[in-house]
Amino acid sequence: MLIVLHHSATARDVENIKKTITRMGFKPVAIPGAERTAIGVIGNKGWVDDTPFKDNRAIQEIIHVTKPYKLVSRDFHPADTVVTLGGKVKVGGRSPFLVIAGPCAVESREQVMRTAAFLKKTGVPVLRGGAYKPRTSPHSFQGLREGGLDILDEVRRETGLLVVTEVVSPEHVPLVAEKVDILQIGARNMQNFDLLTEVGRTRKPVILKRGLSATLEEWLASAEYILVGGNPNVILCERGIRTFETATRNTADLAVIPLVKSISHLPVIFDPSHATGKRRLVGPMALASVVVGAHGVMVEAHPDPEHALSDGPQSLHFRELEKLAGQLTALTAYAKKNL
Ligand code: PEP
Ligand code: MN
């Protein structure tokens, strides 16, 4: 439930309403805004009885929120959320377009070091690399696991780059949160609610990928789990969804980007690598995501994609990443002025 107050409402009115909500066993969330002040009610499992507020003259309107998410919605938080990564890089709102790049999987110290050196040279601030790889087949490379985390930790210390990696099970969250700057929840785990709850307990930025067959509503409800836990630092990531089309690995749902931005205040980035599965489509789709308003991209790149242990066919060569980074810089400058 959302209680919208009149302009004339005083601080005392706000306090009284909050007290009533608390007395009813729910949690009040103040939502200050330029145009209106509102108080959200969270913690209810069903319909909230609004009788205690009926005759309150400070209240303009009571809106019953029937969607499975609240905190992620613009009703509860009208302004764009800007998430700060590693205390220095911002994503969301009017922040500069964020580029995250790196191999699908951490394979060796040398592979990650070579990638990091290239990213530094190219001005890419965040390195991606999977230590735990949730692969479709158990016969595929499963990642270096803890060894991979140590490599990422070492590389970020040596280079000053920020690092993101996927966390696949609730028990691993504290360790992974210690070793990297940003946690990733993969598409296959978007509805692993114990995992979402656990990353909600940290204050680390979380990239939440859209599930393979998840609707927009399900995706936002998953983000809600993390916010309800107390972690507001969520970045949504569209990575393609499953459709009848098999010509591309997934179907890139670029329309969801402006749509989700109209519903939610959270930053939204795009992963053109998993969305297409094809190296030659990665650049064009990354550029397209700028035009539809993405706040950044996450791209797979590898020093030797032909010999990558996972997702080689969709991983860019460094020269291709360099070209794309240049195009993104030019296009985002144009977009900022004209779109
Ligand atoms: C990945 O980023 O390497 C990955 C496994 O992505 P997704 O969860 O989107 O399939
Ligand atoms: Mn991958």
Side-chain angles (χ1 to χ4, degrees):
M1 192 166 78
L2 199 60
I3 301 173
V4 183
L5 305 183
H6 283 295
H7 280 300
S8 56
T10 62
R12 196 151 155 208
D13 291 326
V14 173
E15 275 323 300
N16 284 338
I17 293 167
K18 281 174 141 182
K19 270 193 202 138
T20 309
I21 295 170
T22 310
R23 237 182 285 125
M24 292 166 80
F26 309 129
K27 193 174 163 203
V29 187
I31 307 161
E35 279 144 45
R36 59 168 199 189
T37 295
I39 302 169
V41 177
I42 63 168
N44 58 303
K45 298 278 179 269
W47 185 264
V48 178
D49 177 16
D50 57 17
T51 343
F53 308 103
K54 272 283 178 326
D55 295 322
N56 193 324
R57 294 223 237 132
I59 296 174
Q60 183 189 333
E61 194 187 3
I62 293 177
I63 303 168
H64 288 273
V65 181
T66 50
K67 299 205 177 65
Y69 52 81
K70 297 177 188 178
L71 297 178
V72 303
S73 86
R74 286 204 188 264
D75 295 334
F76 274 64
H77 187 293
D80 286 345
T81 284
V82 175
V83 175
T84 304
L85 312 173
K88 52 185 177 186
V89 175
K90 292 190 187 307
V91 57
R94 307 288 294 165
S95 311
F97 190 81
L98 176 69
V99 181
I100 302 172
C104 180
V106 172
E107 297 169 9
S108 68
R109 186 182 180 281
E110 196 236 337
Q111 171 229 25
V112 181
M113 257 313 189
R114 275 176 70 190
T115 309
F118 184 78
L119 297 187
K120 279 210 89 158
K121 188 174 113 210
T122 318
V124 173
V126 185
L127 180 143
R128 62 146 291 150
Y132 301 89
K133 292 307 303 177
R135 305 301 298 280
T136 301
S137 164
H139 302 296
S140 303
F141 175 58
Q142 302 288 311
L144 298 182
R145 305 174 69 84
E146 286 73 12
L149 292 180
D150 288 338
I151 293 172
L152 291 171
D153 191 19
E154 189 188 334
V155 168
R156 72 175 172 151
R157 284 172 203 278
E158 268 183 41
T159 63
L161 287 174
L162 302 179
V163 162
V164 53
T165 204
E166 179 169 349
V167 56
V168 294
S169 84
E171 313 82 83
H172 292 159
V173 171
L175 174 69
V176 179
E178 196 187 300
K179 304 274 179 172
V180 302
D181 305 285
I182 305 150
L183 304 172
Q184 177 177 323
I185 303 284
R188 287 156 195 78
N189 269 316
M190 189 204 81
Q191 287 187 314
N192 181 338
F193 300 116
D194 285 349
L195 181 60
L196 298 172
T197 301
E198 203 55 43
V199 299
R201 290 209 175 103
T202 75
R203 294 297 172 269
K204 283 268 165 177
V206 180
I207 294 179
L208 177 65
K209 291 204 153 187
R210 182 180 182 182
L212 277 73
S213 302
T215 63
L216 171 53
E217 189 166 279
E218 289 163 342
W219 187 21
L220 288 176
S222 288
E224 184 84 5
Y225 268 88
I226 304 174
L227 269 75
V228 163
N231 186 352
N233 302 310
V234 174
I235 302 155
L236 300 167
C237 179
E238 159 62 28
R239 46 77 75 203
I241 47 173
R242 183 160 289 184
T243 68
F244 62 83
E245 181 57 85
T246 53
T248 47
R249 181 175 176 181
N250 290 291
T251 298
D253 183 8
L254 282 183
V256 88
I257 291 174
L259 186 55
V260 80
K261 281 176 71 183
S262 69
I263 299 169
S264 174
H265 51 87
L266 296 174
V268 193
I269 63 171
F270 178 58
D271 171 349
S273 309
H274 294 86
T276 64
K278 288 183 163 41
R279 186 179 303 130
R280 69 176 187 284
L281 302 182
V282 168
M285 293 306 286
L287 296 172
S289 77
V290 174
V291 178
V292 296
H295 294 111
V297 282
M298 177 152 71
V299 174
E300 286 184 341
H302 192 286
D304 182 9
E306 277 69 30
H307 294 99
L309 296 182
S310 80
D311 287 349
Q314 67 191 33
S315 299
L316 296 184
H317 292 272
F318 287 170
R319 61 175 187 281
E320 293 167 324
L321 177 61
E322 188 171 21
K323 182 175 165 202
L324 176 60
Q327 290 172 328
L328 286 169
T329 304
L331 184 58
T332 50
Y334 175 86
K336 198 169 173 195
K337 266 201 224 130
N338 300 289
L339 299 181

